[in-house]
Amino acid sequence: MKKTLMQSSHSQRIGALVLLALLLFAVLEALFHQGSSVKQNLSLYLTPPNWDAWFGTDQYGRSMLARMGSAIRLSFTLSFICVLTSATLGTLLGVLAASHGGWVDRSLGFLVNTLLALPGLVLILLFAAIAPGSFLVLYLAISLVLWVEYYRVVRAVTLTVVTGPQLQSSMLLGFGRVYLFRRHIWPAVKPSVLTLAAFGAANSILALASIGFVYVGLKPPVAELGLMVVELLPYYSEAPWVIAQPLAAIFLLVLGFNLLAGKSS
Amino acid sequence: MNQAIQIKELSIQIKDLSIQVKDLRIHAGEVVIVDSLSMTLKPRMPLTILGETGSGKSLLAQAIMGLLPDGLSVTGSIRLGNQELLQMDRKTLQRLWGRSITMLPQEPWHSLDPVMKARQQVAEVHEVVHGVDSASAGAAADKQLQQMGLSAAGQKIPTQLSGGMAQRLAFAAATAAGASIVIADEPTKGLDYRRRDDIVRLLQQRLEQGSVLTITHDIEVARQLGGDMIVMRKGQVVERGKASDILANPKSDYAKQLIAAAPTQWKPLPAKRKGCDSDRILSAEKISISRGGAELFKDLSLTLNRGEILGITGDSGAGKSTLGDLLLGLTRPDAGQIRYSHKIPRHQMLKLYQDPPAAFAPNVKLGTLLKELVRLHKLDESRIPPLLERLQLDPGLLQRTSDNVSGGELQRIALLRALLPNPVILFADEPTSRLDPITTQSITELLAEVAREYHCALLLVSHDPVLVDKVCDGVISL
């Protein structure tokens, strides 16, 4: 990562700060609070925030601090592995299609067009419906939808690189594929891949929350932001501060990643 | 219609106007790019500005057109008759474009609409700029095409035209609106000499109808145009006077160097000593190849020996680069065959490219790139310092990245990189066409010398037959 703090724009720094704060909260909560996100105590029905329960409790008397920490950790983990998988897969296949051409390019193009014809969220819903409540399946489904963008961008950029003299000169000098990728292709695609990665993280968090909200994602009692929103929805007038918490977390996560993706000045 | 007549009157009015530039300074922040330039462009008197790339010549053309990029500030005055162009707003300026001042596009065939028929490209100018109906616009276009010797090409699209015809067409379209002042910024860049002479002839014809300002680094263009001349270097006027006087008897050191660097003035290099057959690298027999349905060349036979310098000339698109790819084994001929006397390792058949920065990985120190090459082929790293010295390069350059090194230096580093693996064939694809004349001379001579020293075959592609003639043992014209 050569991109230094100096090169990033004002909004990117704000985005990074927001994300860092959320990450810090999630990590510190796990280290020091160590509350249970599932332990019920019905006598503590919807208590407002107080000195013992900083974030209050939900309708089953569960600690909201513990639940929020757990939910944000879940979102970060999922977005991280989804981005990593989809970026790696999309970049590799994009480079492969552009440098190999021919039937490889055509068959990958067919696959990508097929995937694009289906709305992403529908595809994720479909997967989620096949194996309800499975984190693994959700991860696979979201990655499957996200890699297409990397593939298309990387393929287009790589095409111009592989036909240019830059790559040819290194190829003639006898350098291997890994070198050609590291020295010529990666520097050309890196800015786009990093931008897509930030957007991809925001999209995967939204996707997870969306299917949680329609109740086909992870199953209770897991603390997941979308699921929490739908579970707390009946109590919105009674205890607006409870439902505000997962909503604010989703908003801040998506905002943070979108600001991070913005163009550097 | 009424407006058209008015405009016609306006253009008659300014037909005999001259452009007066006084004390023009263009600077970007603190850096002065053009320093107090004054000149007068008179009708029927060609004015040529001669100088190397990056000397601020093109900015002058842009300043006159009012097209200076943002971020540059300009002081002084540019007057067209009694109008001050620098103070004119964009709208008024735009009314002058085409009607009184026009700028010829660089590499003209790139500026044509690839899917529009030739006649329409010219007729459209009459229709849109002069507002005449399509019938009379067509008639005017026909007349113009006839003058340019393009009558038969009216119904063709640019890709069906030869390079020279496309060029004349672009010229016709650019001047169709009747501008009396023509600004030509490097009009012969990247052209072979025959087309270059065509362009000069067209510019001379324009002189009868007004004035012509030519900006070039080609001595030959300046010589053929004649008239007044200004020699510029790094934004400063170095010398001015009659073109014939300066060219025959340059006063400033820079003008002397520039004139001496024209290929016609070069001393021919010593020819290769007679080679024996054991030096044979390859022989190509009756090779033919076509690209995109068009045949590039047919039944071409050639042999290549170690230490030989073979020139390749031809119009752009004649297949010079493709011939290189064939001989380096990067592509196969449609017919015929290429026989190598012995197998040559991949990394000993190398290329030099037209645009040096395009051939290096960006954002990596040049020294790092060389080290990686040394490691890959287990070469002797101690050969780099003497090579640097041989190629007149400062070792400090290796600490920089490719975009922080000048084109001439970078091309020499590319040569160094190519020499490290002891090449057997070196294909130099117009290695100097983007460089100024002085650098062109030093690099071409260096290239020929080291090719002999390294006993490697050099294929030198150039659009300049004079250059090829001075340097090469043999020439292939495509």
Side-chain angles (χ1 to χ4, degrees):
Chain A
M1 302 288 137
K2 242 191 201 144
K3 195 166 190 176
T4 59
L5 201 64
M6 293 304 287
Q7 281 172 300
S8 51
S9 70
H10 198 57
S11 61
Q12 278 180 312
R13 261 172 274 170
I14 294 177
L17 219 61
V18 169
L19 292 174
L20 206 67
L22 286 166
L23 194 67
L24 213 63
F25 164 73
V27 171
L28 290 180
E29 193 278 327
L31 288 179
F32 297 110
H33 179 241
Q34 294 175 338
S36 165
S37 63
V38 293
K39 196 175 146 217
Q40 299 188 4
N41 183 352
L42 292 179
S43 62
L44 291 175
Y45 173 80
L46 290 175
T47 31
N50 56 56
W51 194 243
D52 290 325
W54 292 359
F55 282 30
T57 58
D58 69 358
Q59 76 278 27
Y60 298 117
R62 295 176 293 198
S63 157
M64 278 306 282
L65 181 62
R67 285 184 71 73
M68 285 305 292
S70 165
I72 291 174
R73 280 196 298 278
L74 181 74
S75 286
F76 265 123
T77 316
L78 180 93
S79 64
F80 179 73
I81 59 172
C82 280
V83 163
L84 204 66
T85 313
S86 55
T88 314
L89 189 70
T91 306
L92 287 182
L93 291 181
V95 170
L96 186 75
S99 52
H100 202 282
W103 65 270
V104 176
D105 191 19
R106 277 195 301 276
S107 21
L108 279 170
F110 177 77
L111 180 69
V112 162
N113 285 333
T114 314
L115 278 173
L116 276 178
L118 292 167
L121 204 58
V122 171
L123 200 71
I124 298 171
L125 278 173
L126 208 71
F127 268 73
I130 294 169
S134 160
F135 182 81
L136 185 72
V137 169
L138 276 180
Y139 148 69
L140 286 178
I142 294 173
S143 303
L144 188 69
V145 170
L146 286 181
W147 74 272
V148 175
E149 285 183 52
Y150 299 92
Y151 169 83
R152 283 156 55 93
V153 171
V154 168
R155 180 181 167 274
V157 176
T158 310
L159 265 184
T160 62
V161 178
V162 290
T163 52
Q166 201 196 94
L167 191 118
Q168 196 192 41
S169 68
S170 283
M171 195 197 75
L172 289 179
L173 287 165
F175 286 108
R177 283 161 189 238
V178 177
Y179 181 89
L180 296 182
F181 176 78
R182 186 167 65 95
R183 275 285 179 249
H184 299 287
I185 297 173
W186 179 241
V189 300
K190 191 175 88 173
S192 321
V193 168
L194 291 184
T195 305
L196 282 178
F199 281 128
N203 284 341
S204 56
I205 286 168
L206 267 183
L208 181 71
S210 306
I211 58 165
F213 186 74
V214 296
Y215 241 98
V216 283
L218 301 175
K219 291 282 173 258
V222 175
E224 190 277 313
L225 294 170
L227 195 59
M228 286 163 78
V229 172
V230 74
E231 281 180 335
L232 294 168
L233 202 56
Y235 312 99
Y236 78 93
S237 60
E238 201 177 333
W241 43 267
V242 200
I243 193 171
Q245 291 174 30
L247 283 176
I250 295 175
F251 172 76
L252 286 176
L253 279 169
V254 173
L255 177 76
F257 278 118
N258 278 324
L259 285 177
L260 194 66
K263 278 217 155 64
S264 50
S265 52
Chain B
M1 254 321 163
N2 210 359
Q3 205 191 354
I5 292 164
Q6 267 180 10
I7 289 162
K8 216 164 237 167
E9 280 169 358
L10 186 74
S11 59
I12 291 166
Q13 258 177 30
I14 57 174
K15 188 149 203 161
D16 278 333
L17 288 187
S18 52
I19 287 190
Q20 274 202 319
V21 175
K22 241 196 206 140
D23 253 348
L24 185 77
R25 279 165 60 92
I26 301 173
H27 40 103
E30 294 291 293
V31 186
V32 178
I33 307 174
V34 172
D35 197 10
S36 54
L37 173 70
S38 301
M39 53 162 229
T40 310
L41 180 63
K42 289 173 284 211
R44 281 170 283 279
M45 176 57 108
L47 175 62
T48 307
I49 297 184
L50 189 70
E52 62 192 7
T53 336
S55 58
K57 297 171 298 173
S58 297
L59 287 178
L60 171 67
Q62 288 168 354
I64 294 175
M65 294 300 280
L67 290 172
L68 272 185
D70 292 338
L72 295 181
S73 36
V74 53
T75 58
S77 104
I78 301 176
R79 297 180 81 81
L80 172 69
N82 49 10
Q83 294 165 289
E84 175 57 58
L85 292 184
L86 285 181
Q87 254 108 60
M88 220 176 254
D89 63 275
R90 192 57 175 260
K91 262 230 172 94
T92 332
L93 260 177
Q94 266 171 0
R95 272 215 296 278
L96 293 175
W97 292 349
R99 299 189 182 101
S100 32
I101 310 181
T102 191
M103 187 147 103
L104 287 190
Q106 281 188 7
E107 311 197 21
W109 55 92
H110 286 167
S111 61
L112 292 168
D113 184 333
V115 295
M116 197 190 281
K117 286 177 181 159
R119 180 173 180 265
Q120 184 58 28
Q121 308 223 16
V122 180
E124 205 167 55
V125 180
H126 291 280
E127 241 179 287
V128 177
V129 181
H130 289 156
V132 299
D133 60 84
S134 65
S136 37
D142 284 336
K143 199 174 151 216
Q144 247 191 311
L145 290 180
Q146 199 198 340
Q147 284 169 356
M148 294 274 182
L150 290 170
S151 303
Q155 296 306 312
K156 290 183 178 166
I157 58 169
T159 47
Q160 296 169 315
L161 301 174
S162 75
M165 289 164 100
Q167 204 166 33
R168 274 177 280 160
L169 178 63
F171 200 105
T175 53
S180 56
I181 298 164
V182 174
I183 299 173
D185 181 12
E186 298 280 9
T188 58
K189 194 178 190 176
L191 297 185
D192 59 79
Y193 73 109
R194 252 173 293 154
R195 295 227 202 112
R196 182 190 68 193
D197 294 351
D198 283 347
I199 281 284
V200 173
R201 221 164 297 132
L202 289 174
L203 286 173
Q204 281 166 333
Q205 281 171 19
R206 278 316 290 187
L207 272 175
E208 291 159 21
Q209 298 155 53
S211 40
V212 173
L213 171 66
T214 312
I215 293 168
T216 184
H217 66 245
D218 192 328
I219 313 282
E220 218 30 59
V221 172
R223 191 191 306 280
Q224 289 180 23
L225 278 171
D228 289 330
M229 187 158 97
I230 293 175
V231 183
M232 269 177 85
R233 185 189 198 192
K234 299 202 166 102
Q236 308 273 355
V237 174
V238 181
E239 198 169 347
R240 60 168 76 214
K242 286 260 163 264
S244 48
D245 293 349
I246 296 181
L247 289 171
N249 190 12
K251 300 252 170 1
S252 61
D253 289 345
Y254 179 66
K256 278 181 197 161
Q257 273 179 32
L258 205 58
I259 290 160
T264 41
Q265 310 289 319
W266 294 6
K267 283 193 289 288
L269 285 164
K272 178 192 180 327
R273 53 175 177 73
K274 208 77 191 132
C276 49
D277 275 351
S278 62
D279 279 351
R280 180 65 49 87
I281 295 171
L282 64 83
S283 56
E285 281 155 33
K286 297 199 164 184
I287 49 171
S288 315
I289 195 157
S290 50
R291 277 281 184 273
E295 190 167 72
L296 290 177
F297 47 81
K298 199 180 157 186
D299 291 341
L300 182 73
S301 297
L302 64 96
T303 58
L304 198 59
N305 300 322
R306 275 191 164 259
E308 185 179 351
I309 302 177
L310 189 61
I312 301 173
T313 62
D315 289 354
S316 39
K320 294 178 300 225
S321 304
T322 312
L323 178 61
D325 285 350
L326 279 171
L327 296 178
L328 297 189
L330 295 172
T331 175
R332 291 182 168 282
D334 296 343
Q337 57 178 324
I338 299 170
R339 253 191 277 269
Y340 297 88
S341 310
H342 52 90
K343 197 170 171 2
I344 309 166
R346 172 70 278 165
H347 66 276
Q348 291 186 327
M349 297 195 276
L350 296 173
K351 267 193 190 183
L352 288 181
Y353 297 85
Q354 195 172 41
D355 189 17
F360 283 89
N363 306 323
V364 188
K365 279 184 196 161
L366 295 165
T368 313
L369 291 175
L370 289 182
K371 277 204 187 97
E372 284 165 349
L373 180 66
V374 166
R375 216 175 307 138
L376 178 71
H377 294 298
K378 303 194 175 54
L379 303 168
D380 183 5
E381 200 179 334
S382 63
R383 280 178 52 212
I384 295 179
L387 260 175
L388 280 170
E389 201 174 327
R390 176 71 186 86
L391 298 176
Q392 298 145 37
L393 285 164
D394 175 14
L397 290 175
L398 297 186
Q399 297 307 313
R400 301 197 208 157
T401 57
S402 61
D403 38 356
N404 289 316
V405 174
S406 78
E409 287 166 331
L410 198 56
Q411 194 61 283
R412 273 179 281 165
I413 291 174
L415 177 58
L416 190 157
R417 182 172 71 166
L419 289 174
L420 274 179
N422 293 319
V424 177
I425 307 176
L426 191 54
F427 182 79
D429 196 351
E430 308 225 21
T432 55
S433 69
R434 306 255 171 131
L435 305 173
D436 61 83
I438 295 170
T439 322
T440 295
Q441 184 184 21
S442 70
I443 289 193
T444 310
E445 288 178 353
L446 211 48
L447 191 59
E449 286 167 23
V450 290
R452 295 261 204 262
E453 284 169 29
Y454 276 75
H455 207 48
C456 95
L458 173 67
L459 292 153
L460 182 63
V461 178
S462 176
H463 57 258
D464 189 344
V466 182
L467 183 151
V468 165
D469 193 48
K470 297 270 175 174
V471 176
C472 301
D473 303 318
V475 179
I476 294 173
S477 295
L478 294 178

